[in-house]
Amino acid sequence: MARERIGDNVTPLDVVREGAAQRQRQPSYTVRIRDLVLNMFIGVHEFEKAKPQRVKISVDLTLDYPEEGIGNHYSRVFCYETFIGRIRMVAEAGHVLLVEGFAERIADLAFDDRRVNAVKVEVEKLDIFSDAAGVGTLIEKFRPTD
């Protein structure tokens, strides 16, 4: 384990840097979901609880590249169709207070697939301000190394 190496000349930061460098050398690929727009109940204000609003979701998932390559093997790749279905289920499950909480739930769903090493989730409410294309958050999470 990495923690066992921390001692006289090795700091926790050294261990984190070494792990990051090793992960960077590993082949990976990215799955992108861009601008998925759903109508959902989200927000802390009363008017946001009264009717659904448009929310735009974008996700980047960084995955281990299969040792045997991808080829035409469906089982070797991340299924974005299933993942989008799971995002829709969360959106339809009931009122969500915060865009940050919604983004976090999506990120956590991604880690159900053991091949996912990192995920970025952007969630924007599109109709809150007439003079802004959207307001929201971007969350980035990494699979713990231990």
Side-chain angles (χ1 to χ4, degrees), residues 36-43 48 51-57 83-98 101-103 105-106 109 123:
L36 172 66
V37 178
L38 302 177
N39 286 314
M40 61 181 290
F41 288 94
I42 189 167
E48 294 175 306
K51 68 176 188 167
Q53 58 186 300
R54 292 183 318 135
V55 175
K56 181 173 73 171
I57 301 121
F83 190 64
I84 288 172
R86 294 182 74 197
I87 293 170
R88 286 183 175 128
M89 287 174 56
V90 172
E92 294 168 1
H95 188 89
V96 176
L97 282 179
L98 301 172
F102 185 52
R105 289 173 72 184
I106 293 169
L109 285 175
V123 175

Side-chain angles (χ1 to χ4, degrees), residues 3-136:
R3 289 191 178 126
E4 295 167 357
R5 297 188 49 241
I6 299 171
D8 297 329
N9 294 323
V10 179
T11 69
L13 185 55
D14 293 328
V15 172
V16 169
R17 285 183 178 144
E18 183 180 291
Q22 287 175 352
R23 281 191 303 279
Q24 288 175 355
R25 288 187 290 247
Q26 300 298 318
S28 66
Y29 74 103
T30 300
V31 170
R32 289 189 167 154
I33 299 166
R34 287 283 163 260
D35 302 339
L36 172 66
V37 178
L38 302 177
N39 286 314
M40 61 181 290
F41 288 94
I42 189 167
V44 297
H45 300 290
E46 289 304 315
F47 72 88
E48 294 175 306
K49 296 174 183 176
K51 68 176 188 167
Q53 58 186 300
R54 292 183 318 135
V55 175
K56 181 173 73 171
I57 301 121
S58 293
V59 183
D60 284 352
L61 304 113
T62 303
L63 297 100
D64 290 333
Y65 197 87
E67 271 185 41
E68 55 282 326
I70 294 173
N72 289 320
H73 300 279
Y74 177 75
S75 63
R76 294 181 187 167
V77 296
F78 184 86
C79 181
Y80 52 81
E81 180 180 12
T82 299
F83 190 64
I84 288 172
R86 294 182 74 197
I87 293 170
R88 286 183 175 128
M89 287 174 56
V90 172
E92 294 168 1
H95 188 89
V96 176
L97 282 179
L98 301 172
V99 293
E100 294 84 358
F102 185 52
E104 185 176 53
R105 289 173 72 184
I106 293 169
D108 291 343
L109 285 175
F111 290 122
D112 287 348
D113 188 314
R114 301 295 305 163
R115 299 169 296 181
V116 175
N117 292 316
V119 61
K120 287 183 185 179
V121 180
E122 184 174 15
V123 175
E124 293 180 86
K125 297 192 286 185
L126 300 177
D127 301 319
I128 293 298
F129 297 103
S130 62
D131 54 351
V135 294

